[in-house]
Each structure stands twice: as structure tokens, then as C-alpha cells.
Amino acid sequence: FWFGDLNYRTSLPFDEVAYHIQNKNWEELIKYDQLTTERQKGNCFVGFQEELVRFAPTYKYIIDTETYDDKRTPSWCDRVLWAGQFVKCEKYDRIELKGSDHRPVSCVFTAEITRTINDRLHEVYQDVVRTLDKEENDSIPDIKVLSNSVNFGDVFYDQPVTLTTVIENVGVTPAEYDFVPQGNATEICKPWLSMSPPFGIILPGKSVTLTLKVHIKGEMSWGFYTTDTVDDVLILRIQKGGDFFIHVSGKYRPSCFGNSLQKLVCMETSVRSYSIPYNDLILTNPLMSIPKELWRMCDFISSSDIDDDSLFEQSGVESEIARIRESLDNNSPFPKNISVHSMAECLIRFLDSLQESVVYQSFYSDILLHYSDSQASKQIVLDLDSVHFNVFLYLICFIRSICERVKKLSVSSIIGVFAEVLLRDGSQRYSRKTSVNNNNN
């Protein structure tokens, strides 16, 4: 229903309107009613109805009289409209109250009212709720992770291991996923772990193979000298769905790489024969002046026939470097036919992986400050503990011996390579400069 003073006027002069009123010619006069003409044009109250008007215009009267104010054209300002299929107007008329310049109007309706059957209403309500619940549940992605526990078994230094699991969309709506950090962490996983693809959309009935890779090397390995447990939990988040947890586990095998000089000189046998965290080592009683692994690599290089100038500049072969590392960790003989370049690169990687560089990182700023002062530089070296001092002195003698024996070698180039790993500032790690004769296969 819409009723009140709608303020539509009559588009005729006062005298003509007065003539039609005197003759009660409502059908003719209504043709000039603005509300009627606007509704016919579809400009307002679309879908509404009004009963035929069979009474005089209700505006504008002189208050307390039956006389129209001749300053305004008499109009049907006060109206009642309705919309609805089961509504019928029984009476539409004006009321002769003279206390205003308007005459009020009244309208009597009959309407069909639907009677509510409470039991049936409850049934319909429950049906609607069940339908809405089903639609809502169907819109929630439903995925299944075929294996939420991935065990990598034994993990070795700088030997990447790859395993897979499958994420399957068993619902009826696309599932958008990604990985999120645990708690207050900023990274989604530990640095030695990676996954691919890290995010995506899985269509209903489809699946994606998630590739997980564990690769422990360099600084990443340092944390595994207090525990040998490879452990992380990935949080797989489904948008508009839930979280799924994938447990990654394994056991790190000890290595001389990423270890410390103090521990290595206390190991009489292979590093693999000791259990992390090396509680059986007596660090105050070194058994050797330098690590046996360091001596073995330097001895191999010194005993090799070197007839070119690319030593420590040409890259080694990755597969050979891995075999050398395995021999060092097991204290077993080196494989046959190992390239001297592979051994040279393995030596540099070993020095770079140490938890503390041969010359303490804390000495870095002092060395930069006094590098041109031979006495100050000598004192810095003398301030090293006995193990680091012995290793530094041994390497200097090794470099001098190699350069004297192989005249083609560039002394400055070799010194530059060793300088990067003997003293680290903590912000940069050794970066192998690959030559044109790259044999990384």
C-alpha cells in the first residue's frame, strides 16, 4: 500500500476545473490528473493500482469552508494505491473534515490472508535448511592428502633427496591451496626443505603431485650437529576449507662438511662412527694437529700431476665431488680416476662449509683495518687457537708448495680463491666461478 499527500496536480486552469467539479464530470477531469498521466506513461508506481476516482478534488480548500482557494487549481493530491494479487478495493471516497486545506480520503479493502499450518511450516522450514546446508557443504572444498607423513630416511650432506605425495580433490568444487607458516614463523618451511608446486587450484576429480625435496648443505647443516633429526611440518591450507598437515622426517648422517675444526681433530676414526651430538668426544684433548680429512685432500692434490694453470679455477665434476665427500666421511680410500679439479673444488667447499672459518669471522674488521701492517696481521694470526692456527699455517704452506711446483699457476688467483673461504665476513659465502670448461655433470 502507498498512500498520503502525493502532491500531484491537475493540468487545467482553475475555471475549467471548477466547471467539471460543478457538473461532477470526474471521468473527464481525471484525464488531466498528473498522477494518472504519469502512471500511464510508466514513469511512477509501476505495478500499483488505484480505484476509479468518483469524488471531487481534495485540495485546496479555504479552511473551515467548502470553498476552493482560487489561487490554486483544485487537485487530487491525496491518494491511495496498492499492489497485490489478492487485494480488492471495496470503497474509495473522501471524508468531509474541514480542519485543513485538504480533504482526507479513505479506502476499504478486502484481502485474502494465507492461514499458516504450523506443522507443515516446520516441515518446509527443515527442508529449506537441509537444502541450504547441502549447498553450503558442497561449496566447501574437500581434498585428500594420500600421504601426510613423508620419511626421507638417511639424508646426506649436499645430496638432495626428492619424494612425492598426492593431493586429490574429492569434492565437487575447485580447491585452491597454498602453504602457510607455522605460528609466528615467516617462512613456510625450514631452509633445507622445498616443495613444488607451492600453490595452485585443483579441479574436482583431479589431483596434483606435490614434490618435496630435502637438500642440506652449507649453513643449513650446522643445526644438525646438535641433533640428527630431520623434522618439519608443512601446513597445507585450502581456501574456504581447512588445514592439512604434512610431516617431513628423516635422519641426518654425520659429515665432516659443515662440522667444526675442533670436533674433527678429536675424531680418531671416521666422522660416521660417531653419533650426533658427539657427546663421546673429548674436545680438550685433540688427537691431531689438523683434521685428517683436510690432510687427505691436500695430499691428493700435492701428489697429482698438474700440468696446467687451471687448478682451483676449473670446476670439478659433481658426481666425483659426492664420492670424495663420502670417502672422507667414511675414512675410506678415494675412488679411482678422480680428477684433481674435483678434489680441489671439494677442498674449497669443505673450508667454506666449516661452522667457524679458519680465521675467525670476528677478526674480519680488524684484518681490513690492519691488512697493510705485517706485524698487526701476524698478531691476529697468533691470536687464533691452536687448531685454527695449525690449519691456517698448514694451508699457507700447501698453497706455497703448489705454486712453487706448478709454475703456470697464478698465485694471485689461488690466493683469491682461498681468501674467500679462510676468512668470511658472514654476509657472503664462497661462490664457485665456473670456467668455460665446466664439467658439472
Side-chain angles (χ1 to χ4, degrees):
F1 297 93
W2 198 302
F3 54 90
D5 177 8
L6 304 187
N7 208 27
Y8 284 92
R9 304 305 174 88
T10 306
S11 301
L12 282 176
F14 183 90
D15 292 341
E16 293 186 37
V17 174
Y19 170 79
H20 289 299
I21 293 173
Q22 185 178 2
N23 291 282
K24 298 183 179 181
N25 194 2
W26 314 131
E27 293 184 6
E28 183 63 26
L29 185 58
I30 201 71
K31 295 178 182 179
Y32 301 96
D33 170 60
Q34 293 176 351
L35 176 58
T36 300
T37 57
E38 288 300 303
R39 286 181 56 229
Q40 289 173 348
K41 294 176 182 178
N43 292 334
C44 64
F45 296 102
V46 176
F48 281 81
Q49 303 178 56
E50 185 183 26
E51 184 63 21
L52 293 176
V53 177
R54 297 186 178 89
F55 50 82
T58 58
Y59 179 83
K60 176 181 183 179
Y61 283 91
I62 297 173
I63 297 175
D64 292 329
T65 71
E66 295 184 359
T67 304
Y68 286 103
D69 185 344
D70 60 6
K71 295 179 181 178
R72 298 288 181 90
T73 300
S75 302
W76 284 289
C77 291
D78 309 282
R79 312 289 276 272
V80 178
L81 296 90
W82 78 92
Q85 184 177 359
F86 303 104
V87 179
K88 180 181 179 182
C89 180
E90 301 291 350
K91 182 180 179 181
Y92 191 26
D93 206 352
R94 54 181 261 171
I95 300 174
E96 300 303 326
L97 296 177
K98 302 176 182 179
S100 168
D101 56 357
H102 288 257
R103 291 291 188 270
V105 297
S106 67
C107 200
V108 178
F109 292 95
T110 58
E112 294 184 23
I113 304 298
T114 302
R115 182 171 67 91
T116 301
I117 303 173
N118 290 330
D119 291 344
R120 181 58 182 156
L121 174 63
H122 182 71
E123 291 178 9
V124 172
Y125 175 78
Q126 292 299 322
D127 286 343
V128 172
V129 169
R130 282 192 292 269
T131 300
L132 293 177
D133 284 346
K134 184 178 184 304
E135 291 179 354
E136 182 178 0
N137 290 334
D138 288 345
S139 68
I140 297 175
D142 187 10
I143 68 110
K144 182 169 78 172
V145 181
L146 297 189
S147 177
N148 57 9
S149 181
V150 182
N151 191 320
F152 282 82
D154 289 338
V155 180
F156 299 88
Y157 183 93
D158 200 12
Q159 291 189 26
V161 186
T162 299
L163 294 176
T164 62
T165 186
V166 176
I167 307 171
E168 184 179 357
N169 187 345
V170 295
V172 297
T173 187
E176 182 179 357
Y177 77 90
D178 61 354
F179 288 89
V180 297
Q182 300 180 42
N184 297 323
T186 57
E187 302 296 331
I188 61 177
C189 63
K190 293 179 179 176
W192 42 263
L193 178 62
S194 61
M195 75 288 300
S196 178
F199 56 87
I201 298 176
I202 310 173
L203 298 178
K206 302 296 184 180
S207 63
V208 62
T209 298
L210 180 68
T211 301
L212 302 175
K213 183 170 77 170
V214 170
H215 190 187
I216 300 173
K217 66 175 183 175
E219 292 182 30
M220 290 181 267
S221 68
W222 296 352
F224 291 98
Y225 288 93
T226 56
T227 176
D228 61 358
T229 301
V230 175
D231 184 78
D232 200 2
V233 175
L234 298 174
I235 302 178
L236 173 66
R237 176 156 297 171
I238 308 301
Q239 300 301 320
K240 299 181 180 179
D243 288 346
F244 294 79
F245 300 92
I246 301 175
H247 182 218
V248 174
S249 61
K251 183 176 182 180
Y252 182 72
R253 298 301 307 277
S255 175
C256 60
F257 284 72
N259 219 309
S260 70
L261 293 174
Q262 284 83 354
K263 289 186 177 71
L264 292 175
V265 295
C266 295
M267 294 182 182
E268 184 176 6
T269 58
S270 71
V271 66
R272 291 275 170 79
S273 64
Y274 294 86
S275 299
I276 296 173
Y278 308 116
N279 291 327
D280 48 348
L281 285 180
I282 303 175
L283 299 181
T284 57
N285 185 29
L287 301 176
M288 293 162 281
S289 297
I290 63 171
K292 57 186 176 301
E293 294 84 2
L294 173 63
W295 177 84
R296 291 185 64 192
M297 288 185 282
C298 292
D299 181 66
F300 181 97
I301 296 170
S302 298
S303 303
S304 299
D305 292 330
I306 306 170
D307 58 358
D308 60 41
D309 59 356
S310 61
L311 186 65
F312 292 107
E313 292 187 353
Q314 180 175 321
S315 296
V317 179
E318 285 296 334
S319 60
E320 292 185 359
I321 294 173
R323 290 157 60 198
I324 294 170
R325 186 169 53 243
E326 191 67 12
S327 297
L328 293 171
D329 290 339
N330 289 304
N331 198 25
S332 59
F334 290 130
K336 295 181 180 180
N337 302 320
I338 290 293
S339 164
V340 68
H341 297 293
S342 296
M343 187 64 72
E345 181 160 359
C346 196
L347 170 61
I348 297 301
R349 290 189 186 184
F350 167 77
L351 294 172
D352 188 52
S353 73
L354 294 172
Q355 294 179 26
E356 176 68 76
S357 56
V358 175
V359 179
Y360 305 146
Q361 291 173 224
S362 57
F363 286 5
Y364 185 81
S365 57
D366 288 341
I367 291 175
L368 291 182
L369 185 64
H370 302 296
Y371 73 93
S372 60
D373 186 335
S374 60
Q375 285 300 115
S377 298
K378 183 182 295 184
Q379 185 58 49
I380 290 173
V381 174
L382 291 173
D383 286 340
L384 296 171
D385 65 43
S386 59
V387 175
H388 283 253
F389 177 83
N390 289 338
V391 169
F392 179 81
L393 188 61
Y394 177 79
L395 287 171
I396 294 300
C397 293
F398 167 74
I399 295 170
R400 177 182 294 171
S401 171
I402 291 296
C403 291
E404 288 177 351
R405 185 161 66 90
V406 185
K407 301 301 184 181
K408 296 180 180 179
L409 292 177
S410 169
V411 176
S412 60
S413 296
I414 292 181
I415 291 176
V417 170
F418 275 88
E420 285 189 52
V421 295
L422 291 180
L423 173 63
R424 299 193 300 260
D425 66 353
S427 63
Q428 291 183 337
R429 306 288 297 168
Y430 166 72
S431 175
R432 189 66 170 143
K433 299 176 178 62
T434 305
S435 71
V436 293
N437 297 319
N438 193 329
N439 295 315
N440 282 321
N441 297 316

